[in-house]
Amino acid sequence: SPPPLPPSATPNQRAVLQLLAQMKQLTTTQIWRHLHPDKDKPYTRHVLARLRARGLVARAPLDPWRGRAAEYYWMLRPAGCAVLHRPYSTHYTRRPHRDSLLQREAHLTIQRQVAAAGWKLFAPVVYNTVHPRPEETPQSRHLVTAVLAVEHETLLTLLARGTPPQQLQDRFQEW
C-alpha cells in the first residue's frame, strides 16, 4: 500500500508551522506579534490549540513556577515537520534559554520592519563542507550593486555641480 499522506494544514496553520521551523521555539506572544498583530491574542491561542490537538505542535510553560499564569513556548512535532516536508530533529525539542527567545524576538522585529519598508532581508546562510560558500554570495552581489549605484549617483552629482570630467576620470575608471 502507498505510504500515508502527511497531515494537511490551512494556510494560516502552515504559516505558524513555518515560523516554528525557522525559529525552533517561540512564545505565544511572539507568534501573535509576528503573524496576527491585527487580531486579538486569543485568535493565536486558538490556532495553536488546534495545531496542538492535531499533534503538529507541542507546548511547554516558559516559567513553570508561575502555574496557570505561565506563558507557553511552542515547538514543532514530527507531524508538523511532515506537513512542511522537513526532517524532524531534536533541536525542535530543546528547552529555549530566555536570552535565545529575546534574540528571536529581535530577529522577528527586524524582519517585520524590513518588510514594512519594502525591502528584502537575506536570511543568514551557514556554509560548511556539505554546503560550501560560493565565490560570490547573494549578499555580496547586492552589496556590490548598492555601492556601485551610490558611486554612480555621486559621479553624476559631481558632474552636475560643474566638476570637470577629466578630474573624475580615475573615479569613472574604478566605477
Side-chain angles (χ1 to χ4, degrees), residues 1 23-25 29 33 38 45-47 53 58 60 62 69 76 109 142 148-149 151 160 169-170 172 174:
S1 75
M23 294 298 195
K24 309 304 178 242
Q25 305 88 10
T29 301
R33 280 188 189 141
D38 56 330
R45 285 190 194 112
H46 177 72
V47 171
L62 187 58
L76 280 177
T109 300
H142 281 278
L148 290 174
E151 180 64 6
Q169 199 62 30
D170 288 342
F172 268 110
E174 286 181 31

Side-chain angles (χ1 to χ4, degrees), residues 5-6 26 35 38 46 51 54 59 62-64 66 72-74 83 89 98 107 136 138 150 152 167 169 173-175:
L5 294 173
L26 290 172
L35 294 178
D38 56 330
H46 177 72
L51 288 168
R54 296 182 55 212
R59 70 179 188 183
L62 187 58
D63 298 314
R66 293 187 67 200
Y72 290 105
Y73 68 91
W74 297 84
V83 169
S89 84
R98 189 169 295 280
H107 185 81
E136 187 178 67
V150 168
H152 183 249
Q167 286 183 3
Q169 199 62 30
Q173 294 240 340
E174 286 181 31
W175 173 71

Side-chain angles (χ1 to χ4, degrees), residues 68-126:
R68 292 176 51 91
E71 180 161 29
Y72 290 105
Y73 68 91
W74 297 84
M75 65 206 100
L76 280 177
R77 299 296 302 137
C81 286
V83 169
L84 300 175
H85 305 287
R86 295 178 70 115
Y88 181 76
S89 84
T90 57
H91 63 263
Y92 292 117
T93 62
R94 294 184 188 132
R95 181 170 180 77
H97 191 278
R98 189 169 295 280
D99 290 343
S100 297
L101 290 170
L102 290 172
Q103 188 272 337
R104 290 173 191 158
E105 178 67 28
H107 185 81
L108 290 171
T109 300
I110 290 169
Q111 281 184 356
R112 287 191 302 272
Q113 290 172 347
V114 165
W119 297 352
K120 181 178 179 184
L121 184 65
F122 284 101
V125 177
V126 176

